[in-house]
Amino acid sequence: VKGRMATTMMPQRRQAKDEEIVLDGVFNGAGNEDEVEEALRGMCVEAAPEDEENTNDYVDISDDIGIEDKHSQKLSAERSGFRKMAGKSFRGLWNSAKKLAGRSKDRMKDSDIERLLEKVMKCRHKLAHPNGGLINTDYEGIKVSRSVVAEVVKQMGKKLLTGQNLLSVTFPVRCCQPRTILECAAYQFCFCPHYLSRAAMETDPVERLKYVTACFIACIHTTSQFVKPFNPTLGETLQASFDGGVRLYLEQTSHHPPVTSWQVVGPNNSFQYVGWSTYEASFGYNKLYVKQSGIRMCKFPDGTSIEVGFTMDRYNNVYWGDVIQEVLGSYTFLDARNAISCTIELNPCKGLPSDTFVGSINRLDAQGEIVDSICNVEGSFLGFLDFNGHRYWDISSNTRRDPVFDPLEKSLPSDSRFREDRNALVNGEVERAQLEKVRIEERQRRERRLRAAAAKGGPWNPADVK
């Protein structure tokens, strides 16, 4: 995997700077639901804004989980190099996208809203909420996860809403699903074989951009998970194949903060999708916000690279009520070589489900400013995507290809599926899974201290590092 991974995309590995909070033991949380809800309601009411609609309604608890300076510099350098390669400055694109987003309500007439609403409601995921977002129906998993919140509140108290880094909490194994983040992430590439292969066949840059956009819009509804997977250890890997000769390589290139790197390779190297991502978490009033950052690039043999942006996930009713995932913000796809972009705004205005989006493909000048619109785009990430009325993705279409993991006997020793805690949980051995999880985490903390000691230089004895 390390040999195949695009080295220019690999982030720097870092040491943890914030204190970890370990929730020890196998916690079952039985009989604590009322107590948990009462405590959390009190905490959330104190943190809730007066007007949620017009306020930044969440408390950021991610101050300590941003990527370290070297990592940020690498991200900035890669993006700068990507845009400089095309001889353009694309700051104007992002400013233009913000201006377009701010004008959405003025741009959409009542008749347009009614027309789009009718289209959205006719083609819709079976678990779509009427007001928008995807309903999570893993009720048993949600119940178990919420029970652990009692232990979180007990140990963290109001720090939970006033600055404590959520990713520094080590949760008990009972609230985990028997898969790692790498295993879950593999399914989020399930539309790449179809749409990126179609994109690779296109010679028209606009048509190629349409298929790349369709790929990532189609993938959004596959990301809805509430039960926590195991965090991979540093260097953990996973390899898989898709129909049509597409290969996937995953590696955990940082444990804290969690950074996953990947490479998707089309048949005969017809395309590559490479990148890495990390995430930040923050709480609001009965909500959880998850924001990703990193780099995502779709590369093609003719030299075209399309940079894919990131959105923000919001999980409503985290503590009580039906859990609903929404995806918010603007989604931008940038083809610097051909000076075109696709900008999509999710949840564009009132009167439409929040999973609705509108946008356009635009031509850019040398400063990255939009000079004219090529075509319009509209749809819902829980239903369809249309460019100028022509459908490129539909929830009912048979374009999904699930990964087939490499046989264990042919996999690297670092493969996620060899983890002792994961396998114990697969077999229903919860207590042994907890013991194995603690053992793995303690080993990883020691290795982190060893790296820190080595980085300081000078003579030292590994046996002295506990």
Side-chain angles (χ1 to χ4, degrees):
V1 174
K2 293 178 182 176
R4 294 299 306 273
M5 196 72 69
T7 55
T8 58
M9 308 301 293
M10 297 286 282
Q12 299 290 323
R13 295 171 180 175
R14 60 159 285 175
Q15 312 298 323
K17 294 182 179 179
D18 51 324
E19 181 182 357
E20 285 188 282
I21 297 177
V22 180
L23 305 182
D24 297 317
V26 183
F27 179 75
N28 58 32
N32 289 302
E33 289 85 356
D34 293 340
E35 180 182 346
V36 173
E37 181 168 336
E38 182 179 354
L40 287 170
R41 282 186 188 276
M43 291 164 59
C44 289
V45 166
E46 292 183 14
E50 293 181 3
D51 186 354
E52 182 172 305
E53 224 175 62
N54 301 311
T55 320
N56 188 9
D57 69 333
Y58 63 94
V59 180
D60 187 7
I61 62 168
S62 306
D63 292 342
D64 295 327
I65 55 177
I67 307 172
E68 66 174 342
D69 292 341
K70 290 182 180 178
H71 202 156
S72 296
Q73 290 169 7
K74 189 173 185 67
L75 168 62
S76 178
E78 287 173 346
R79 283 183 172 158
S80 174
F82 171 70
R83 291 167 184 159
K84 189 175 181 181
M85 176 183 66
K88 301 176 177 68
S89 168
F90 282 90
R91 179 178 298 176
L93 171 64
W94 309 107
N95 294 334
S96 299
K98 290 180 181 178
K99 292 176 184 176
L100 285 173
R103 294 203 304 263
S104 280
K105 178 58 180 175
D106 298 331
R107 191 172 68 246
M108 294 192 71
K109 301 177 181 178
D110 289 344
S111 58
D112 292 332
I113 294 174
E114 292 175 4
R115 175 191 58 80
L116 183 53
L117 177 61
E118 184 178 358
K119 287 181 66 175
V120 168
M121 301 311 289
K122 282 183 177 179
C123 183
R124 202 139 171 79
H125 193 288
K126 62 182 180 180
L127 295 178
H129 191 277
N131 295 330
L134 188 63
I135 301 171
N136 192 307
T137 57
D138 182 11
Y139 300 116
E140 187 60 33
I142 291 171
K143 181 179 179 181
V144 172
S145 297
R146 284 173 171 169
S147 72
V148 179
V149 172
E151 186 72 0
V152 177
V153 173
K154 179 180 176 182
Q155 294 198 27
M156 296 176 64
K158 292 183 181 179
K159 290 182 180 179
L160 189 66
L161 295 177
T162 57
Q164 176 62 45
N165 175 5
L166 185 63
L167 300 186
S168 67
V169 180
T170 301
F171 290 93
V173 76
R174 183 173 289 275
C175 69
C176 295
Q177 58 172 292
R179 298 191 298 173
T180 69
I181 286 177
L182 299 188
E183 291 177 271
C184 295
Y187 287 89
Q188 296 173 18
F189 299 93
C190 60
F191 287 95
C192 292
H194 176 80
Y195 285 102
L196 296 188
S197 293
R198 289 290 301 269
M201 292 188 291
E202 290 293 339
T203 56
D204 179 0
V206 174
E207 282 300 307
R208 175 176 285 173
L209 184 59
K210 289 178 181 179
Y211 281 112
V212 170
T213 302
C215 174
F216 290 91
I217 292 297
C219 286
I220 290 178
H221 76 276
T222 69
T223 65
S224 181
Q225 294 187 67
F226 191 74
V227 180
K228 184 182 180 298
F230 285 104
N231 286 332
T233 58
L234 184 64
E236 202 166 297
T237 60
L238 190 65
Q239 301 175 72
S241 297
F242 297 89
D243 287 349
V246 177
R247 290 286 291 163
L248 168 64
Y249 305 90
L250 290 156
E251 181 178 353
Q252 192 74 4
T253 49
S254 174
H255 172 68
H256 196 72
V259 176
T260 300
S261 299
W262 63 85
Q263 182 182 36
V264 182
V265 184
N268 301 316
N269 208 31
S270 57
F271 68 84
Q272 287 196 42
Y273 170 35
V274 296
W276 58 265
S277 69
T278 185
Y279 61 91
E280 302 172 357
S282 53
F283 273 115
Y285 179 62
N286 201 20
K287 296 180 178 72
L288 173 67
Y289 293 80
V290 179
K291 184 178 182 181
Q292 284 188 297
S293 59
I295 289 181
R296 300 195 289 183
M297 295 281 191
C298 294
K299 299 183 177 183
F300 300 94
D302 65 356
T304 298
S305 291
I306 297 177
E307 182 179 6
V308 181
F310 290 91
T311 54
M312 179 173 67
D313 290 75
R314 181 172 70 185
Y315 290 85
N316 299 317
N317 306 324
V318 174
Y319 307 128
W320 55 86
D322 289 331
V323 175
I324 300 170
Q325 179 203 18
E326 294 181 288
V327 180
L328 307 173
S330 296
Y331 215 167
T332 300
F333 303 82
L334 174 63
D335 179 351
R337 186 170 185 262
N338 296 292
I340 55 176
S341 71
C342 179
T343 301
I344 287 175
E345 184 194 353
L346 292 145
N347 191 22
C349 65
K350 294 181 179 179
L352 294 168
S354 64
D355 47 83
T356 307
F357 58 79
V358 297
S360 58
I361 292 181
N362 305 296
R363 204 171 304 280
L364 312 173
D365 63 16
Q367 287 70 46
E369 295 286 350
I370 295 173
V371 294
D372 64 76
S373 177
I374 299 172
C375 67
N376 295 324
V377 56
E378 64 183 15
S380 158
F381 73 81
L382 295 178
F384 67 94
L385 177 145
D386 288 352
F387 285 101
N388 276 358
H390 180 68
R391 188 143 301 183
Y392 279 71
W393 169 70
D394 191 295
I395 193 72
S396 62
S397 62
N398 185 27
T399 54
R400 174 171 176 153
R401 304 290 183 269
D402 284 340
V404 178
F405 299 120
D406 288 3
L408 283 172
E409 60 271 17
K410 295 183 179 180
S411 299
L412 296 171
S414 54
D415 193 284
S416 277
R417 295 166 295 163
F418 287 123
R419 286 181 61 129
E420 295 90 345
D421 51 359
R422 169 200 178 276
N423 292 332
L425 194 58
V426 167
N427 295 327
E429 303 173 65
V430 179
E431 292 187 11
R432 187 169 77 84
Q434 179 67 34
L435 293 174
E436 294 292 350
K437 182 173 183 289
V438 170
R439 183 182 62 80
I440 291 172
E441 290 167 350
E442 288 177 348
R443 181 186 67 201
Q444 188 157 241
R445 292 186 190 103
R446 182 176 184 275
E447 290 174 352
R448 189 168 63 221
R449 290 191 290 270
L450 284 169
R451 291 192 296 271
K456 292 179 180 178
W460 61 283
N461 185 357
D464 296 333
V465 180
K466 305 297 183 183

